[in-house]
Amino acid sequence: FGLVGNFGVAIILLTVIVRGVMFPVAQRQFASMAAMKAIQPKMKAIQDRYAKYKVTDPERQKMNQEMMALYKDNGVNPASGCVPMLLTLPILFAFYSLLAMSIELRHAPFIGYIQDLSMPDKYWITPLLMGATMFIQQRMMPSTADPIQQKMFLFMPLIFTFSFIWAPAGLVLYWLMSNLMAILQQYVTNQMIGAKR
């Protein structure tokens, strides 16, 4: 804020910096998700071979070993999809606390009709844009989920949009910019993965 004199612009710049610092982690996540999607048929074949065994059957242990070997051979980490999201959650909570309690942000204007970043967007424009960018981001990400789960994931942008309608405009601005940066990062990663093939 001391450099730009506008809290909204400061939120945007901070989001760009945070996303830039986290780009290597996010890039690995996107690459791992693409690799997971590529080995999905092999995973399904292994699961089908062991489908007749109960979860408690010792034979299921062999399935887990085969799956782990498949992940290792293809350089895939199934847990890597959660790490970037977990890293951004403390920032989200910090922004929420900052916007809810900071006196400096009360009546802090951004641009146009947004004259108070600590209050919800009265025209719902930023929450709707945030939901749209979240939807685009989900469509760009490689998914290993089955078709029913994929349809359920499509409801997430609607749920978030509805939830963020009453959130402070500054928080929605942060989430919107974070989504835009994630879309850009996903596009760059997709280009990099495509170039390697």
Side-chain angles (χ1 to χ4, degrees), residues 39-101:
I39 64 168
Q40 186 70 23
K42 293 178 183 177
M43 290 170 53
K44 183 90 171 77
I46 292 170
Q47 289 168 343
D48 289 345
R49 270 202 323 262
Y50 292 92
K52 61 185 175 188
Y53 299 108
K54 292 182 180 178
V55 178
T56 55
D57 195 307
E59 286 294 314
R60 289 294 284 241
Q61 187 64 26
K62 290 181 184 176
M63 180 187 83
N64 294 337
Q65 290 170 350
E66 282 188 46
M67 294 288 267
M68 294 308 288
L70 182 66
Y71 294 150
K72 188 176 180 181
D73 292 344
N74 290 278
V76 174
N77 181 356
S80 67
C82 303
V83 174
M85 189 178 78
L86 291 175
L87 291 174
T88 58
L89 282 178
I91 299 165
L92 178 68
F93 293 136
F95 262 116
Y96 186 79
S97 299
L98 175 77
L99 292 164
M101 297 179 201

Short mmCIF file of all heavy atoms in Angstrom, two decimals, residues 39-101:
data_model
loop_
_atom_site.label_atom_id
_atom_site.label_comp_id
_atom_site.label_asym_id
_atom_site.label_seq_id
_atom_site.Cartn_x
_atom_site.Cartn_y
_atom_site.Cartn_z
N ILE A 39 -1.84 -42.14 -16.69
CA ILE A 39 -1.76 -43.55 -16.24
C ILE A 39 -3.09 -44.08 -15.72
O ILE A 39 -3.16 -45.20 -15.22
CB ILE A 39 -0.66 -43.73 -15.15
CG1 ILE A 39 -1.01 -42.95 -13.87
CG2 ILE A 39 0.71 -43.36 -15.68
CD1 ILE A 39 -0.13 -43.30 -12.68
N GLN A 40 -4.14 -43.30 -15.86
CA GLN A 40 -5.47 -43.69 -15.37
C GLN A 40 -5.91 -45.06 -15.91
O GLN A 40 -6.41 -45.89 -15.14
CB GLN A 40 -6.49 -42.61 -15.73
CG GLN A 40 -7.88 -42.84 -15.17
CD GLN A 40 -7.94 -42.67 -13.66
OE1 GLN A 40 -7.11 -42.01 -13.07
NE2 GLN A 40 -8.91 -43.30 -13.04
N PRO A 41 -5.73 -45.36 -17.21
CA PRO A 41 -6.15 -46.69 -17.69
C PRO A 41 -5.40 -47.84 -17.00
O PRO A 41 -5.99 -48.88 -16.69
CB PRO A 41 -5.82 -46.65 -19.19
CG PRO A 41 -5.81 -45.20 -19.53
CD PRO A 41 -5.31 -44.49 -18.31
N LYS A 42 -4.10 -47.65 -16.74
CA LYS A 42 -3.31 -48.68 -16.06
C LYS A 42 -3.79 -48.84 -14.61
O LYS A 42 -3.86 -49.96 -14.10
CB LYS A 42 -1.83 -48.33 -16.08
CG LYS A 42 -1.22 -48.37 -17.47
CD LYS A 42 0.24 -47.98 -17.44
CE LYS A 42 0.83 -47.96 -18.83
NZ LYS A 42 2.22 -47.50 -18.84
N MET A 43 -4.10 -47.72 -13.95
CA MET A 43 -4.62 -47.78 -12.59
C MET A 43 -5.93 -48.55 -12.55
O MET A 43 -6.15 -49.39 -11.68
CB MET A 43 -4.82 -46.36 -12.03
CG MET A 43 -3.54 -45.61 -11.75
SD MET A 43 -3.81 -43.86 -11.38
CE MET A 43 -5.00 -43.91 -10.08
N LYS A 44 -6.79 -48.26 -13.51
CA LYS A 44 -8.10 -48.92 -13.58
C LYS A 44 -7.93 -50.42 -13.80
O LYS A 44 -8.65 -51.24 -13.19
CB LYS A 44 -8.92 -48.30 -14.73
CG LYS A 44 -10.32 -48.84 -14.88
CD LYS A 44 -11.29 -48.03 -14.06
CE LYS A 44 -12.73 -48.38 -14.35
NZ LYS A 44 -13.18 -49.61 -13.74
N ALA A 45 -6.97 -50.79 -14.65
CA ALA A 45 -6.73 -52.22 -14.90
C ALA A 45 -6.28 -52.94 -13.63
O ALA A 45 -6.74 -54.05 -13.35
CB ALA A 45 -5.68 -52.37 -16.00
N ILE A 46 -5.40 -52.30 -12.86
CA ILE A 46 -4.95 -52.89 -11.60
C ILE A 46 -6.12 -53.02 -10.63
O ILE A 46 -6.31 -54.07 -10.00
CB ILE A 46 -3.81 -52.04 -10.98
CG1 ILE A 46 -2.55 -52.13 -11.85
CG2 ILE A 46 -3.51 -52.50 -9.56
CD1 ILE A 46 -1.46 -51.14 -11.46
N GLN A 47 -6.92 -51.96 -10.52
CA GLN A 47 -8.07 -51.99 -9.60
C GLN A 47 -9.08 -53.07 -10.00
O GLN A 47 -9.64 -53.75 -9.14
CB GLN A 47 -8.73 -50.62 -9.56
CG GLN A 47 -7.88 -49.58 -8.84
CD GLN A 47 -8.41 -48.17 -9.05
OE1 GLN A 47 -9.21 -47.89 -9.95
NE2 GLN A 47 -7.93 -47.24 -8.22
N ASP A 48 -9.30 -53.22 -11.30
CA ASP A 48 -10.24 -54.23 -11.79
C ASP A 48 -9.77 -55.65 -11.46
O ASP A 48 -10.59 -56.52 -11.15
CB ASP A 48 -10.46 -54.09 -13.30
CG ASP A 48 -11.27 -52.85 -13.65
OD1 ASP A 48 -11.90 -52.27 -12.74
OD2 ASP A 48 -11.27 -52.45 -14.83
N ARG A 49 -8.44 -55.88 -11.54
CA ARG A 49 -7.90 -57.19 -11.24
C ARG A 49 -8.14 -57.60 -9.79
O ARG A 49 -8.31 -58.78 -9.49
CB ARG A 49 -6.39 -57.22 -11.52
CG ARG A 49 -6.04 -57.62 -12.93
CD ARG A 49 -4.63 -58.15 -13.07
NE ARG A 49 -3.64 -57.51 -12.26
CZ ARG A 49 -2.81 -56.54 -12.66
NH1 ARG A 49 -2.90 -56.07 -13.88
NH2 ARG A 49 -1.92 -56.02 -11.84
N TYR A 50 -8.15 -56.61 -8.90
CA TYR A 50 -8.30 -56.89 -7.46
C TYR A 50 -9.70 -56.55 -6.93
O TYR A 50 -9.93 -56.59 -5.73
CB TYR A 50 -7.24 -56.14 -6.66
CG TYR A 50 -5.84 -56.65 -6.90
CD1 TYR A 50 -5.03 -56.09 -7.88
CD2 TYR A 50 -5.33 -57.71 -6.15
CE1 TYR A 50 -3.74 -56.55 -8.11
CE2 TYR A 50 -4.04 -58.19 -6.37
CZ TYR A 50 -3.26 -57.61 -7.35
OH TYR A 50 -1.98 -58.08 -7.58
N ALA A 51 -10.63 -56.23 -7.81
CA ALA A 51 -11.97 -55.80 -7.39
C ALA A 51 -12.72 -56.88 -6.64
O ALA A 51 -13.55 -56.59 -5.77
CB ALA A 51 -12.77 -55.34 -8.60
N LYS A 52 -12.43 -58.16 -6.93
CA LYS A 52 -13.16 -59.26 -6.29
C LYS A 52 -12.77 -59.48 -4.83
O LYS A 52 -13.48 -60.13 -4.09
CB LYS A 52 -12.97 -60.55 -7.08
CG LYS A 52 -11.54 -61.02 -7.18
CD LYS A 52 -11.41 -62.23 -8.09
CE LYS A 52 -9.94 -62.58 -8.27
NZ LYS A 52 -9.76 -63.62 -9.26
N TYR A 53 -11.62 -58.90 -4.43
CA TYR A 53 -11.15 -59.07 -3.05
C TYR A 53 -11.71 -57.98 -2.14
O TYR A 53 -11.84 -56.83 -2.54
CB TYR A 53 -9.62 -59.03 -3.00
CG TYR A 53 -8.97 -60.13 -3.81
CD1 TYR A 53 -8.32 -59.83 -5.00
CD2 TYR A 53 -8.99 -61.45 -3.37
CE1 TYR A 53 -7.72 -60.82 -5.75
CE2 TYR A 53 -8.39 -62.46 -4.12
CZ TYR A 53 -7.76 -62.14 -5.31
OH TYR A 53 -7.18 -63.12 -6.05
N LYS A 54 -12.00 -58.35 -0.90
CA LYS A 54 -12.47 -57.38 0.08
C LYS A 54 -11.31 -56.48 0.50
O LYS A 54 -10.14 -56.83 0.34
CB LYS A 54 -13.03 -58.09 1.31
CG LYS A 54 -14.30 -58.86 1.05
CD LYS A 54 -14.81 -59.50 2.31
CE LYS A 54 -16.09 -60.27 2.05
NZ LYS A 54 -16.59 -60.94 3.25
N VAL A 55 -11.65 -55.35 1.08
CA VAL A 55 -10.63 -54.39 1.52
C VAL A 55 -9.71 -55.01 2.56
O VAL A 55 -8.52 -54.71 2.61
CB VAL A 55 -11.31 -53.11 2.08
CG1 VAL A 55 -10.27 -52.13 2.59
CG2 VAL A 55 -12.18 -52.47 1.03
N THR A 56 -10.25 -55.90 3.39
CA THR A 56 -9.45 -56.53 4.45
C THR A 56 -8.63 -57.73 3.96
O THR A 56 -7.80 -58.24 4.70
CB THR A 56 -10.38 -56.99 5.59
OG1 THR A 56 -11.39 -57.85 5.05
CG2 THR A 56 -11.02 -55.80 6.28
N ASP A 57 -8.86 -58.16 2.74
CA ASP A 57 -8.14 -59.32 2.19
C ASP A 57 -6.66 -58.96 1.97
O ASP A 57 -6.35 -57.91 1.42
CB ASP A 57 -8.78 -59.74 0.86
CG ASP A 57 -8.34 -61.12 0.42
OD1 ASP A 57 -7.11 -61.35 0.37
OD2 ASP A 57 -9.20 -61.96 0.13
N PRO A 58 -5.74 -59.86 2.37
CA PRO A 58 -4.31 -59.59 2.17
C PRO A 58 -3.92 -59.38 0.70
O PRO A 58 -2.93 -58.72 0.40
CB PRO A 58 -3.63 -60.84 2.73
CG PRO A 58 -4.62 -61.43 3.67
CD PRO A 58 -5.97 -61.07 3.14
N GLU A 59 -4.71 -59.93 -0.22
CA GLU A 59 -4.43 -59.74 -1.65
C GLU A 59 -4.51 -58.27 -2.06
O GLU A 59 -3.87 -57.85 -3.01
CB GLU A 59 -5.40 -60.57 -2.50
CG GLU A 59 -5.12 -62.05 -2.51
CD GLU A 59 -3.80 -62.40 -3.18
OE1 GLU A 59 -3.51 -61.87 -4.27
OE2 GLU A 59 -3.04 -63.19 -2.59
N ARG A 60 -5.34 -57.51 -1.32
CA ARG A 60 -5.46 -56.07 -1.63
C ARG A 60 -4.15 -55.34 -1.39
O ARG A 60 -3.90 -54.30 -1.98
CB ARG A 60 -6.57 -55.45 -0.78
CG ARG A 60 -7.97 -55.86 -1.18
CD ARG A 60 -8.36 -55.34 -2.55
NE ARG A 60 -8.68 -53.94 -2.54
CZ ARG A 60 -9.85 -53.42 -2.86
NH1 ARG A 60 -10.83 -54.20 -3.21
NH2 ARG A 60 -10.03 -52.13 -2.83
N GLN A 61 -3.31 -55.89 -0.51
CA GLN A 61 -1.99 -55.31 -0.26
C GLN A 61 -1.15 -55.33 -1.53
O GLN A 61 -0.40 -54.39 -1.82
CB GLN A 61 -1.29 -56.06 0.88
CG GLN A 61 0.01 -55.42 1.34
CD GLN A 61 -0.21 -54.04 1.96
OE1 GLN A 61 -1.28 -53.74 2.47
NE2 GLN A 61 0.78 -53.20 1.88
N LYS A 62 -1.30 -56.40 -2.31
CA LYS A 62 -0.57 -56.51 -3.58
C LYS A 62 -1.02 -55.42 -4.54
O LYS A 62 -0.23 -54.87 -5.30
CB LYS A 62 -0.78 -57.88 -4.20
CG LYS A 62 -0.10 -59.02 -3.45
CD LYS A 62 -0.35 -60.33 -4.14
CE LYS A 62 0.24 -61.49 -3.36
NZ LYS A 62 -0.07 -62.79 -3.96
N MET A 63 -2.33 -55.13 -4.53
CA MET A 63 -2.84 -54.06 -5.38
C MET A 63 -2.18 -52.73 -5.02
O MET A 63 -1.74 -51.97 -5.89
CB MET A 63 -4.36 -53.93 -5.25
CG MET A 63 -4.95 -52.83 -6.13
SD MET A 63 -6.70 -52.52 -5.85
CE MET A 63 -6.62 -51.44 -4.44
N ASN A 64 -2.11 -52.45 -3.72
CA ASN A 64 -1.47 -51.21 -3.27
C ASN A 64 -0.01 -51.15 -3.68
O ASN A 64 0.49 -50.10 -4.09
CB ASN A 64 -1.60 -51.06 -1.75
CG ASN A 64 -3.03 -50.88 -1.30
OD1 ASN A 64 -3.88 -50.45 -2.08
ND2 ASN A 64 -3.33 -51.23 -0.07
N GLN A 65 0.67 -52.30 -3.60
CA GLN A 65 2.07 -52.34 -4.00
C GLN A 65 2.22 -52.08 -5.50
O GLN A 65 3.12 -51.35 -5.93
CB GLN A 65 2.69 -53.69 -3.62
CG GLN A 65 2.87 -53.87 -2.12
CD GLN A 65 3.24 -55.29 -1.74
OE1 GLN A 65 3.21 -56.21 -2.56
NE2 GLN A 65 3.60 -55.47 -0.47
N GLU A 66 1.33 -52.67 -6.30
CA GLU A 66 1.36 -52.43 -7.75
C GLU A 66 1.08 -50.97 -8.08
O GLU A 66 1.71 -50.39 -8.97
CB GLU A 66 0.35 -53.33 -8.46
CG GLU A 66 0.80 -54.76 -8.61
CD GLU A 66 -0.14 -55.56 -9.49
OE1 GLU A 66 -0.54 -55.07 -10.56
OE2 GLU A 66 -0.48 -56.70 -9.08
N MET A 67 0.13 -50.39 -7.36
CA MET A 67 -0.20 -48.97 -7.58
C MET A 67 0.99 -48.08 -7.25
O MET A 67 1.32 -47.15 -8.00
CB MET A 67 -1.42 -48.57 -6.75
CG MET A 67 -2.69 -49.25 -7.16
SD MET A 67 -3.36 -48.69 -8.71
CE MET A 67 -4.46 -47.44 -8.14
N MET A 68 1.64 -48.37 -6.11
CA MET A 68 2.80 -47.58 -5.71
C MET A 68 3.93 -47.72 -6.72
O MET A 68 4.62 -46.75 -7.05
CB MET A 68 3.27 -47.97 -4.30
CG MET A 68 2.28 -47.63 -3.20
SD MET A 68 1.72 -45.93 -3.20
CE MET A 68 3.17 -45.10 -2.64
N ALA A 69 4.12 -48.92 -7.24
CA ALA A 69 5.15 -49.15 -8.27
C ALA A 69 4.81 -48.38 -9.54
O ALA A 69 5.70 -47.79 -10.18
CB ALA A 69 5.28 -50.64 -8.56
N LEU A 70 3.53 -48.36 -9.89
CA LEU A 70 3.08 -47.61 -11.08
C LEU A 70 3.35 -46.12 -10.89
O LEU A 70 3.85 -45.45 -11.80
CB LEU A 70 1.59 -47.86 -11.32
CG LEU A 70 0.96 -47.18 -12.54
CD1 LEU A 70 1.55 -47.74 -13.83
CD2 LEU A 70 -0.55 -47.36 -12.51
N TYR A 71 3.02 -45.59 -9.70
CA TYR A 71 3.30 -44.17 -9.41
C TYR A 71 4.79 -43.88 -9.52
O TYR A 71 5.21 -42.89 -10.12
CB TYR A 71 2.82 -43.80 -8.00
CG TYR A 71 1.33 -43.86 -7.78
CD1 TYR A 71 0.82 -44.17 -6.52
CD2 TYR A 71 0.43 -43.61 -8.80
CE1 TYR A 71 -0.56 -44.23 -6.30
CE2 TYR A 71 -0.94 -43.66 -8.59
CZ TYR A 71 -1.42 -43.97 -7.34
OH TYR A 71 -2.77 -44.03 -7.12
N LYS A 72 5.59 -44.78 -8.93
CA LYS A 72 7.05 -44.56 -8.91
C LYS A 72 7.63 -44.60 -10.32
O LYS A 72 8.45 -43.77 -10.69
CB LYS A 72 7.71 -45.61 -8.02
CG LYS A 72 9.18 -45.37 -7.78
CD LYS A 72 9.76 -46.37 -6.81
CE LYS A 72 11.23 -46.11 -6.58
NZ LYS A 72 11.84 -47.08 -5.68
N ASP A 73 7.20 -45.59 -11.11
CA ASP A 73 7.71 -45.73 -12.48
C ASP A 73 7.37 -44.52 -13.35
O ASP A 73 8.11 -44.20 -14.27
CB ASP A 73 7.15 -47.00 -13.13
CG ASP A 73 7.68 -48.27 -12.49
OD1 ASP A 73 8.69 -48.19 -11.75
OD2 ASP A 73 7.08 -49.34 -12.71
N ASN A 74 6.24 -43.87 -13.05
CA ASN A 74 5.80 -42.74 -13.87
C ASN A 74 6.08 -41.39 -13.21
O ASN A 74 5.66 -40.35 -13.72
CB ASN A 74 4.30 -42.87 -14.18
CG ASN A 74 4.04 -44.01 -15.12
OD1 ASN A 74 4.18 -43.86 -16.33
ND2 ASN A 74 3.69 -45.18 -14.59
N GLY A 75 6.75 -41.41 -12.06
CA GLY A 75 7.10 -40.16 -11.37
C GLY A 75 5.89 -39.37 -10.89
O GLY A 75 5.85 -38.15 -10.97
N VAL A 76 4.89 -40.09 -10.40
CA VAL A 76 3.64 -39.46 -9.98
C VAL A 76 3.52 -39.52 -8.46
O VAL A 76 3.81 -40.54 -7.85
CB VAL A 76 2.43 -40.19 -10.62
CG1 VAL A 76 1.13 -39.66 -10.09
CG2 VAL A 76 2.48 -40.05 -12.13
N ASN A 77 3.09 -38.41 -7.87
CA ASN A 77 2.82 -38.37 -6.43
C ASN A 77 1.35 -38.03 -6.25
O ASN A 77 0.94 -36.89 -6.50
CB ASN A 77 3.70 -37.32 -5.75
CG ASN A 77 3.48 -37.27 -4.26
OD1 ASN A 77 2.62 -37.95 -3.71
ND2 ASN A 77 4.27 -36.45 -3.59
N PRO A 78 0.51 -39.00 -5.83
CA PRO A 78 -0.92 -38.73 -5.72
C PRO A 78 -1.27 -37.65 -4.70
O PRO A 78 -2.32 -37.02 -4.78
CB PRO A 78 -1.52 -40.07 -5.30
CG PRO A 78 -0.40 -40.97 -4.97
CD PRO A 78 0.86 -40.37 -5.48
N ALA A 79 -0.40 -37.38 -3.74
CA ALA A 79 -0.68 -36.36 -2.72
C ALA A 79 -0.29 -34.95 -3.16
O ALA A 79 -0.62 -33.98 -2.50
CB ALA A 79 0.05 -36.71 -1.44
N SER A 80 0.42 -34.83 -4.29
CA SER A 80 0.94 -33.52 -4.68
C SER A 80 -0.16 -32.54 -5.07
O SER A 80 0.07 -31.33 -5.10
CB SER A 80 1.93 -33.66 -5.83
OG SER A 80 1.27 -34.11 -7.00
N GLY A 81 -1.36 -33.02 -5.39
CA GLY A 81 -2.45 -32.12 -5.77
C GLY A 81 -2.95 -31.27 -4.62
O GLY A 81 -3.52 -30.20 -4.83
N CYS A 82 -2.73 -31.71 -3.38
CA CYS A 82 -3.25 -30.99 -2.22
C CYS A 82 -2.29 -29.92 -1.70
O CYS A 82 -2.73 -28.96 -1.07
CB CYS A 82 -3.53 -31.97 -1.08
SG CYS A 82 -4.67 -33.27 -1.52
N VAL A 83 -1.00 -30.08 -1.94
CA VAL A 83 -0.01 -29.21 -1.31
C VAL A 83 -0.21 -27.73 -1.64
O VAL A 83 -0.29 -26.90 -0.74
CB VAL A 83 1.43 -29.67 -1.66
CG1 VAL A 83 2.46 -28.70 -1.14
CG2 VAL A 83 1.68 -31.06 -1.09
N PRO A 84 -0.33 -27.34 -2.93
CA PRO A 84 -0.51 -25.90 -3.21
C PRO A 84 -1.77 -25.32 -2.57
O PRO A 84 -1.76 -24.19 -2.10
CB PRO A 84 -0.58 -25.84 -4.73
CG PRO A 84 0.15 -27.04 -5.19
CD PRO A 84 -0.16 -28.09 -4.16
N MET A 85 -2.85 -26.12 -2.55
CA MET A 85 -4.08 -25.63 -1.93
C MET A 85 -3.88 -25.41 -0.44
O MET A 85 -4.33 -24.41 0.12
CB MET A 85 -5.23 -26.61 -2.18
CG MET A 85 -6.57 -26.06 -1.76
SD MET A 85 -7.91 -27.19 -2.11
CE MET A 85 -7.74 -28.35 -0.78
N LEU A 86 -3.19 -26.35 0.21
CA LEU A 86 -2.93 -26.22 1.64
C LEU A 86 -2.04 -25.01 1.94
O LEU A 86 -2.20 -24.35 2.96
CB LEU A 86 -2.30 -27.49 2.19
CG LEU A 86 -3.20 -28.73 2.22
CD1 LEU A 86 -2.41 -29.95 2.66
CD2 LEU A 86 -4.39 -28.51 3.15
N LEU A 87 -1.12 -24.71 1.03
CA LEU A 87 -0.24 -23.55 1.23
C LEU A 87 -0.99 -22.23 1.09
O LEU A 87 -0.62 -21.24 1.72
CB LEU A 87 0.93 -23.60 0.23
CG LEU A 87 1.95 -24.71 0.46
CD1 LEU A 87 2.97 -24.73 -0.67
CD2 LEU A 87 2.66 -24.56 1.80
N THR A 88 -2.03 -22.20 0.24
CA THR A 88 -2.77 -20.95 0.04
C THR A 88 -3.83 -20.71 1.12
O THR A 88 -4.26 -19.58 1.31
CB THR A 88 -3.45 -20.92 -1.34
OG1 THR A 88 -4.33 -22.03 -1.45
CG2 THR A 88 -2.43 -20.93 -2.46
N LEU A 89 -4.26 -21.77 1.82
CA LEU A 89 -5.30 -21.60 2.84
C LEU A 89 -4.91 -20.63 3.96
O LEU A 89 -5.74 -19.78 4.33
CB LEU A 89 -5.73 -22.95 3.41
CG LEU A 89 -6.67 -23.77 2.54
CD1 LEU A 89 -6.97 -25.11 3.19
CD2 LEU A 89 -7.96 -23.03 2.25
N PRO A 90 -3.68 -20.69 4.51
CA PRO A 90 -3.33 -19.71 5.55
C PRO A 90 -3.40 -18.27 5.03
O PRO A 90 -3.80 -17.36 5.77
CB PRO A 90 -1.89 -20.07 5.92
CG PRO A 90 -1.73 -21.49 5.53
CD PRO A 90 -2.62 -21.69 4.34
N ILE A 91 -3.05 -18.07 3.75
CA ILE A 91 -3.12 -16.73 3.17
C ILE A 91 -4.58 -16.28 3.07
O ILE A 91 -4.90 -15.13 3.38
CB ILE A 91 -2.42 -16.70 1.79
CG1 ILE A 91 -0.95 -17.06 1.95
CG2 ILE A 91 -2.57 -15.34 1.12
CD1 ILE A 91 -0.25 -17.42 0.68
N LEU A 92 -5.45 -17.20 2.67
CA LEU A 92 -6.88 -16.88 2.59
C LEU A 92 -7.42 -16.49 3.96
O LEU A 92 -8.12 -15.48 4.10
CB LEU A 92 -7.65 -18.09 2.04
CG LEU A 92 -9.16 -17.93 1.94
CD1 LEU A 92 -9.54 -16.90 0.89
CD2 LEU A 92 -9.82 -19.26 1.63
N PHE A 93 -7.08 -17.27 4.99
CA PHE A 93 -7.55 -16.96 6.34
C PHE A 93 -6.96 -15.64 6.83
O PHE A 93 -7.64 -14.86 7.51
CB PHE A 93 -7.22 -18.09 7.31
CG PHE A 93 -7.97 -19.37 7.03
CD1 PHE A 93 -7.32 -20.59 7.06
CD2 PHE A 93 -9.32 -19.35 6.73
CE1 PHE A 93 -8.01 -21.77 6.81
CE2 PHE A 93 -10.02 -20.52 6.47
CZ PHE A 93 -9.35 -21.73 6.50
N ALA A 94 -5.70 -15.40 6.50
CA ALA A 94 -5.06 -14.13 6.90
C ALA A 94 -5.75 -12.95 6.25
O ALA A 94 -6.01 -11.92 6.90
CB ALA A 94 -3.58 -14.16 6.55
N PHE A 95 -6.07 -13.07 4.95
CA PHE A 95 -6.78 -12.00 4.25
C PHE A 95 -8.16 -11.77 4.88
O PHE A 95 -8.58 -10.63 5.07
CB PHE A 95 -6.95 -12.32 2.76
CG PHE A 95 -5.92 -11.69 1.89
CD1 PHE A 95 -5.03 -12.46 1.18
CD2 PHE A 95 -5.84 -10.31 1.77
CE1 PHE A 95 -4.07 -11.88 0.38
CE2 PHE A 95 -4.89 -9.73 0.96
CZ PHE A 95 -4.00 -10.51 0.27
N TYR A 96 -8.85 -12.86 5.19
CA TYR A 96 -10.18 -12.73 5.79
C TYR A 96 -10.09 -11.99 7.13
O TYR A 96 -10.87 -11.08 7.40
CB TYR A 96 -10.83 -14.11 5.97
CG TYR A 96 -12.25 -14.01 6.45
CD1 TYR A 96 -13.27 -13.71 5.55
CD2 TYR A 96 -12.58 -14.18 7.79
CE1 TYR A 96 -14.57 -13.60 5.98
CE2 TYR A 96 -13.88 -14.08 8.23
CZ TYR A 96 -14.88 -13.79 7.31
OH TYR A 96 -16.17 -13.67 7.73
N SER A 97 -9.12 -12.38 7.96
CA SER A 97 -8.94 -11.72 9.26
C SER A 97 -8.56 -10.26 9.07
O SER A 97 -9.07 -9.38 9.77
CB SER A 97 -7.85 -12.43 10.07
OG SER A 97 -8.23 -13.75 10.32
N LEU A 98 -7.67 -10.01 8.13
CA LEU A 98 -7.23 -8.64 7.86
C LEU A 98 -8.40 -7.77 7.43
O LEU A 98 -8.58 -6.66 7.94
CB LEU A 98 -6.15 -8.66 6.76
CG LEU A 98 -5.66 -7.30 6.27
CD1 LEU A 98 -4.70 -6.71 7.29
CD2 LEU A 98 -4.99 -7.44 4.92
N LEU A 99 -9.21 -8.29 6.50
CA LEU A 99 -10.32 -7.50 5.98
C LEU A 99 -11.43 -7.33 7.02
O LEU A 99 -12.14 -6.34 7.01
CB LEU A 99 -10.87 -8.15 4.71
CG LEU A 99 -9.90 -8.09 3.53
CD1 LEU A 99 -10.32 -9.07 2.46
CD2 LEU A 99 -9.82 -6.70 2.96
N ALA A 100 -11.58 -8.31 7.90
CA ALA A 100 -12.63 -8.23 8.91
C ALA A 100 -12.25 -7.32 10.07
O ALA A 100 -13.12 -6.69 10.67
CB ALA A 100 -12.94 -9.63 9.43
N MET A 101 -10.95 -7.21 10.37
CA MET A 101 -10.55 -6.50 11.58
C MET A 101 -9.72 -5.23 11.34
O MET A 101 -9.59 -4.42 12.24
CB MET A 101 -9.74 -7.44 12.48
CG MET A 101 -10.52 -8.63 12.96
SD MET A 101 -9.47 -9.68 13.96
CE MET A 101 -10.32 -11.21 13.88
#
